CSV table of all heavy atoms in Angstrom, one decimal:
chain,number,residue,atom,x,y,z
A,1,LEU,N,0.9,-1.2,0.0
A,1,LEU,CA,0.0,0.0,0.0
A,1,LEU,C,0.9,1.3,0.0
A,1,LEU,O,1.9,1.4,0.7
A,1,LEU,CB,-0.9,0.0,1.2
A,1,LEU,CG,-2.0,-1.1,1.2
A,1,LEU,CD1,-2.7,-1.0,2.6
A,1,LEU,CD2,-3.0,-1.0,0.1
A,2,SER,N,0.4,2.2,-0.8
A,2,SER,CA,1.2,3.5,-0.8
A,2,SER,C,0.9,4.3,0.5
A,2,SER,O,0.0,4.0,1.1
A,2,SER,CB,0.8,4.3,-2.0
A,2,SER,OG,-0.5,4.7,-1.9
A,3,LYS,N,1.9,5.3,0.7
A,3,LYS,CA,1.7,6.0,1.9
A,3,LYS,C,0.4,6.9,1.9
A,3,LYS,O,-0.3,7.1,2.9
A,3,LYS,CB,2.9,6.9,2.1
A,3,LYS,CG,4.2,6.2,2.3
A,3,LYS,CD,5.3,7.2,2.5
A,3,LYS,CE,6.6,6.4,2.8
A,3,LYS,NZ,7.8,7.3,3.0
A,4,ALA,N,0.0,7.3,0.7
A,4,ALA,CA,-1.2,8.1,0.5
A,4,ALA,C,-2.4,7.3,0.9
A,4,ALA,O,-3.4,7.8,1.6
A,4,ALA,CB,-1.3,8.7,-0.9
A,5,ILE,N,-2.5,6.0,0.5
A,5,ILE,CA,-3.6,5.1,0.8
A,5,ILE,C,-3.7,4.8,2.3
A,5,ILE,O,-4.8,4.8,2.9
A,5,ILE,CB,-3.5,3.9,0.0
A,5,ILE,CG1,-3.7,4.2,-1.5
A,5,ILE,CG2,-4.6,2.8,0.4
A,5,ILE,CD1,-3.5,3.0,-2.4
A,6,VAL,N,-2.5,4.6,2.9
A,6,VAL,CA,-2.4,4.3,4.3
A,6,VAL,C,-3.0,5.5,5.1
A,6,VAL,O,-3.8,5.3,6.1
A,6,VAL,CB,-1.0,4.0,4.8
A,6,VAL,CG1,-0.9,3.9,6.3
A,6,VAL,CG2,-0.6,2.7,4.2
A,7,LEU,N,-2.6,6.7,4.8
A,7,LEU,CA,-3.0,7.9,5.4
A,7,LEU,C,-4.6,8.1,5.3
A,7,LEU,O,-5.3,8.4,6.2
A,7,LEU,CB,-2.3,9.1,4.9
A,7,LEU,CG,-0.8,9.3,5.4
A,7,LEU,CD1,-0.2,10.5,4.7
A,7,LEU,CD2,-0.7,9.4,6.9
A,8,GLN,N,-5.1,7.9,4.0
A,8,GLN,CA,-6.5,8.1,3.8
A,8,GLN,C,-7.3,7.1,4.5
A,8,GLN,O,-8.4,7.4,5.1
A,8,GLN,CB,-6.8,7.9,2.3
A,8,GLN,CG,-8.2,8.3,1.9
A,8,GLN,CD,-8.7,9.7,2.4
A,8,GLN,OE1,-7.9,10.6,2.0
A,8,GLN,NE2,-9.8,9.8,3.0
A,9,LYS,N,-6.9,5.8,4.5
A,9,LYS,CA,-7.6,4.7,5.3
A,9,LYS,C,-7.5,5.1,6.8
A,9,LYS,O,-8.5,4.8,7.6
A,9,LYS,CB,-7.0,3.4,5.0
A,9,LYS,CG,-7.4,2.9,3.6
A,9,LYS,CD,-6.8,1.5,3.5
A,9,LYS,CE,-7.2,0.9,2.1
A,9,LYS,NZ,-8.6,0.7,2.0
A,10,THR,N,-6.4,5.6,7.3
A,10,THR,CA,-6.3,5.9,8.7
A,10,THR,C,-7.3,7.1,9.0
A,10,THR,O,-8.0,7.0,10.1
A,10,THR,CB,-4.9,6.4,9.0
A,10,THR,OG1,-4.0,5.4,8.7
A,10,THR,CG2,-4.8,6.7,10.5
A,11,ILE,N,-7.4,8.1,8.2
A,11,ILE,CA,-8.3,9.2,8.4
A,11,ILE,C,-9.8,8.7,8.4
A,11,ILE,O,-10.6,9.1,9.3
A,11,ILE,CB,-8.2,10.3,7.3
A,11,ILE,CG1,-6.8,11.0,7.5
A,11,ILE,CG2,-9.3,11.3,7.4
A,11,ILE,CD1,-6.5,11.9,6.4
A,12,ASP,N,-10.1,7.8,7.5
A,12,ASP,CA,-11.5,7.2,7.4
A,12,ASP,C,-11.8,6.5,8.7
A,12,ASP,O,-12.9,6.5,9.2
A,12,ASP,CB,-11.6,6.3,6.2
A,12,ASP,CG,-11.5,7.1,4.9
A,12,ASP,OD1,-11.7,8.4,4.9
A,12,ASP,OD2,-11.2,6.5,3.9
A,13,TYR,N,-10.8,5.7,9.2
A,13,TYR,CA,-11.1,4.8,10.3
A,13,TYR,C,-11.2,5.8,11.6
A,13,TYR,O,-12.1,5.4,12.5
A,13,TYR,CB,-9.8,3.9,10.6
A,13,TYR,CG,-10.0,2.9,11.7
A,13,TYR,CD1,-11.1,2.0,11.7
A,13,TYR,CD2,-9.2,3.0,12.8
A,13,TYR,CE1,-11.2,1.1,12.7
A,13,TYR,CE2,-9.3,2.1,13.8
A,13,TYR,CZ,-10.3,1.2,13.8
A,13,TYR,OH,-10.5,0.3,14.8
A,14,ILE,N,-10.5,6.9,11.7
A,14,ILE,CA,-10.6,7.7,12.8
A,14,ILE,C,-12.0,8.4,12.8
A,14,ILE,O,-12.6,8.6,13.9
A,14,ILE,CB,-9.5,8.8,12.8
A,14,ILE,CG1,-8.2,8.2,13.1
A,14,ILE,CG2,-9.8,9.9,13.9
A,14,ILE,CD1,-7.0,9.1,12.9
A,15,GLN,N,-12.4,8.8,11.6
A,15,GLN,CA,-13.8,9.4,11.5
A,15,GLN,C,-14.9,8.4,12.0
A,15,GLN,O,-15.9,8.7,12.6
A,15,GLN,CB,-14.0,9.9,10.1
A,15,GLN,CG,-13.2,11.1,9.7
A,15,GLN,CD,-13.3,11.5,8.2
A,15,GLN,OE1,-13.9,10.8,7.4
A,15,GLN,NE2,-12.8,12.7,7.9
A,16,PHE,N,-14.7,7.2,11.5
A,16,PHE,CA,-15.6,6.1,11.9
A,16,PHE,C,-15.6,5.9,13.4
A,16,PHE,O,-16.7,5.8,14.0
A,16,PHE,CB,-15.2,4.7,11.2
A,16,PHE,CG,-15.9,3.6,11.8
A,16,PHE,CD1,-17.2,3.3,11.5
A,16,PHE,CD2,-15.2,2.7,12.6
A,16,PHE,CE1,-17.8,2.2,11.9
A,16,PHE,CE2,-15.8,1.6,13.1
A,16,PHE,CZ,-17.2,1.3,12.8
A,17,LEU,N,-14.4,6.0,14.0
A,17,LEU,CA,-14.4,5.8,15.5
A,17,LEU,C,-15.1,7.0,16.2
A,17,LEU,O,-15.8,6.8,17.3
A,17,LEU,CB,-13.0,5.7,16.0
A,17,LEU,CG,-12.2,4.4,15.6
A,17,LEU,CD1,-10.7,4.5,16.0
A,17,LEU,CD2,-12.9,3.2,16.1
A,18,HIS,N,-14.9,8.2,15.6
A,18,HIS,CA,-15.6,9.4,16.3
A,18,HIS,C,-17.1,9.2,16.2
A,18,HIS,O,-17.9,9.6,17.1
A,18,HIS,CB,-15.2,10.7,15.5
A,18,HIS,CG,-13.9,11.2,16.0
A,18,HIS,ND1,-13.7,11.7,17.3
A,18,HIS,CD2,-12.7,11.4,15.3
A,18,HIS,CE1,-12.5,12.1,17.3
A,18,HIS,NE2,-11.9,12.0,16.2
A,19,LYS,N,-17.6,8.7,15.0
A,19,LYS,CA,-19.1,8.5,14.9
A,19,LYS,C,-19.6,7.5,15.9
A,19,LYS,O,-20.7,7.6,16.5
A,19,LYS,CB,-19.4,8.1,13.5
A,19,LYS,CG,-19.2,9.2,12.4
A,19,LYS,CD,-19.6,8.7,11.1
A,19,LYS,CE,-19.4,9.8,10.0
A,19,LYS,NZ,-19.7,9.4,8.6
A,20,GLU,N,-18.8,6.4,16.0
A,20,GLU,CA,-19.2,5.3,16.9
A,20,GLU,C,-19.2,5.9,18.4
A,20,GLU,O,-20.1,5.5,19.2
A,20,GLU,CB,-18.1,4.2,16.8
A,20,GLU,CG,-18.4,3.3,15.6
A,20,GLU,CD,-19.7,2.6,15.5
A,20,GLU,OE1,-20.1,2.0,16.6
A,20,GLU,OE2,-20.4,2.7,14.5
A,21,LYS,N,-18.2,6.7,18.7
A,21,LYS,CA,-18.1,7.3,20.1
A,21,LYS,C,-19.4,8.1,20.3
A,21,LYS,O,-19.9,8.1,21.4
A,21,LYS,CB,-16.9,8.1,20.2
A,21,LYS,CG,-16.7,8.7,21.6
A,21,LYS,CD,-15.5,9.6,21.7
A,21,LYS,CE,-15.4,10.3,23.0
A,21,LYS,NZ,-14.2,11.2,23.0
A,22,LYS,N,-19.7,9.0,19.4
A,22,LYS,CA,-20.9,9.8,19.5
A,22,LYS,C,-22.2,9.0,19.7
A,22,LYS,O,-23.0,9.3,20.5
A,22,LYS,CB,-21.0,10.8,18.3
A,22,LYS,CG,-22.2,11.7,18.4
A,22,LYS,CD,-22.2,12.7,17.3
A,22,LYS,CE,-23.4,13.7,17.4
A,22,LYS,NZ,-23.4,14.6,16.2
A,23,LYS,N,-22.3,7.9,18.9
A,23,LYS,CA,-23.5,7.0,19.0
A,23,LYS,C,-23.5,6.4,20.4
A,23,LYS,O,-24.6,6.3,21.0
A,23,LYS,CB,-23.4,5.9,18.0
A,23,LYS,CG,-24.5,5.0,17.9
A,23,LYS,CD,-24.4,4.0,16.8
A,23,LYS,CE,-25.5,3.0,16.7
A,23,LYS,NZ,-25.3,2.0,15.6
A,24,GLN,N,-22.3,5.9,20.9
A,24,GLN,CA,-22.3,5.3,22.2
A,24,GLN,C,-22.7,6.3,23.3
A,24,GLN,O,-23.4,5.9,24.3
A,24,GLN,CB,-21.0,4.7,22.4
A,24,GLN,CG,-20.7,3.5,21.6
A,24,GLN,CD,-19.3,2.9,21.9
A,24,GLN,OE1,-18.5,3.4,22.6
A,24,GLN,NE2,-19.0,1.8,21.2
A,25,GLU,N,-22.2,7.6,23.1
A,25,GLU,CA,-22.5,8.6,24.1
A,25,GLU,C,-24.1,8.8,24.2
A,25,GLU,O,-24.6,9.0,25.2
A,25,GLU,CB,-21.8,9.9,23.8
A,25,GLU,CG,-20.3,9.8,24.0
A,25,GLU,CD,-19.6,11.0,23.6
A,25,GLU,OE1,-20.2,11.9,23.0
A,25,GLU,OE2,-18.4,11.2,24.0
A,26,GLU,N,-24.7,8.9,23.0
A,26,GLU,CA,-26.2,9.0,22.9
A,26,GLU,C,-26.9,7.9,23.5
A,26,GLU,O,-27.9,8.0,24.3
A,26,GLU,CB,-26.6,9.2,21.5
A,26,GLU,CG,-26.1,10.5,20.8
A,26,GLU,CD,-26.5,10.5,19.3
A,26,GLU,OE1,-27.0,9.5,18.8
A,26,GLU,OE2,-26.3,11.6,18.8
A,27,GLU,N,-26.4,6.6,23.3
A,27,GLU,CA,-27.0,5.5,24.0
A,27,GLU,C,-26.8,5.5,25.5
A,27,GLU,O,-27.8,5.2,26.2
A,27,GLU,CB,-26.3,4.2,23.4
A,27,GLU,CG,-26.6,3.9,21.9
A,27,GLU,CD,-26.0,2.7,21.5
A,27,GLU,OE1,-25.2,2.1,22.2
A,27,GLU,OE2,-26.2,2.3,20.3
A,28,VAL,N,-25.7,6.0,26.0
A,28,VAL,CA,-25.4,6.1,27.4
A,28,VAL,C,-26.4,7.1,28.0
A,28,VAL,O,-26.9,6.9,29.1
A,28,VAL,CB,-24.0,6.5,27.7
A,28,VAL,CG1,-23.8,6.8,29.1
A,28,VAL,CG2,-23.1,5.3,27.3
A,29,SER,N,-26.6,8.2,27.3
A,29,SER,CA,-27.5,9.3,27.8
A,29,SER,C,-28.9,8.7,27.9
A,29,SER,O,-29.6,9.0,28.9
A,29,SER,CB,-27.5,10.5,26.8
A,29,SER,OG,-28.4,11.5,27.3
A,30,THR,N,-29.3,8.0,26.9
A,30,THR,CA,-30.7,7.3,26.9
A,30,THR,C,-30.8,6.4,28.0
A,30,THR,O,-31.8,6.3,28.7
A,30,THR,CB,-30.9,6.7,25.6
A,30,THR,OG1,-30.8,7.5,24.5
A,30,THR,CG2,-32.4,6.1,25.5
A,31,LEU,N,-29.8,5.6,28.2
A,31,LEU,CA,-29.9,4.6,29.3
A,31,LEU,C,-29.9,5.3,30.7
A,31,LEU,O,-30.6,4.8,31.6
A,31,LEU,CB,-28.6,3.7,29.3
A,31,LEU,CG,-28.6,2.7,28.2
A,31,LEU,CD1,-27.3,1.9,28.1
A,31,LEU,CD2,-29.8,1.7,28.2
A,32,ARG,N,-29.2,6.4,30.9
A,32,ARG,CA,-29.2,7.2,32.1
A,32,ARG,C,-30.7,7.7,32.3
A,32,ARG,O,-31.1,7.7,33.5
A,32,ARG,CB,-28.2,8.3,32.1
A,32,ARG,CG,-26.8,7.9,32.2
A,32,ARG,CD,-25.9,9.0,32.1
A,32,ARG,NE,-24.5,8.6,32.3
A,32,ARG,CZ,-23.4,9.3,32.1
A,32,ARG,NH1,-23.6,10.7,31.7
A,32,ARG,NH2,-22.2,8.9,32.3
A,33,LYS,N,-31.3,8.2,31.3
A,33,LYS,CA,-32.7,8.7,31.4
A,33,LYS,C,-33.7,7.5,31.9
A,33,LYS,O,-34.5,7.7,32.7
A,33,LYS,CB,-33.2,9.3,30.1
A,33,LYS,CG,-32.5,10.6,29.7
A,33,LYS,CD,-33.1,11.1,28.5
A,33,LYS,CE,-32.4,12.4,28.2
A,33,LYS,NZ,-32.9,13.0,26.8
A,34,ASP,N,-33.4,6.3,31.3
A,34,ASP,CA,-34.2,5.1,31.6
A,34,ASP,C,-34.0,4.8,33.1
A,34,ASP,O,-34.9,4.4,33.8
A,34,ASP,CB,-33.9,4.0,30.7
A,34,ASP,CG,-34.3,4.2,29.3
A,34,ASP,OD1,-35.2,5.1,29.1
A,34,ASP,OD2,-33.8,3.5,28.4
A,35,VAL,N,-32.8,4.8,33.5
A,35,VAL,CA,-32.4,4.5,34.9
A,35,VAL,C,-33.1,5.5,35.8
A,35,VAL,O,-33.7,5.0,36.9
A,35,VAL,CB,-30.9,4.5,35.1
A,35,VAL,CG1,-30.5,4.4,36.6
A,35,VAL,CG2,-30.3,3.3,34.4
C-alpha cells in the first residue's frame, strides 16, 4: 500500500471511531434517562 492510501484509510477509520463514540454517548444518555 502506498503512503497516501495508508493515510486516507487511517483518516477514514478515525472518523468512523468518532461516529461510533458519539453514537455510544447518545446510547449512554438514553440509558441514564431510563435508569
Side-chain angles (χ1 to χ4, degrees):
L1 293 177
S2 65
K3 294 179 179 180
I5 294 178
V6 172
L7 288 178
Q8 185 60 50
K9 287 182 176 292
T10 303
I11 292 172
D12 295 339
Y13 185 63
I14 292 174
Q15 291 176 346
F16 167 76
L17 291 179
H18 278 299
K19 291 180 180 179
E20 287 295 314
K21 180 184 177 183
K22 185 178 181 180
K23 182 179 178 181
Q24 291 178 357
E25 289 176 350
E26 292 176 353
E27 291 178 355
V28 170
S29 178
T30 302
L31 291 174
R32 285 177 178 173
K33 292 180 180 179
D34 293 342
V35 170

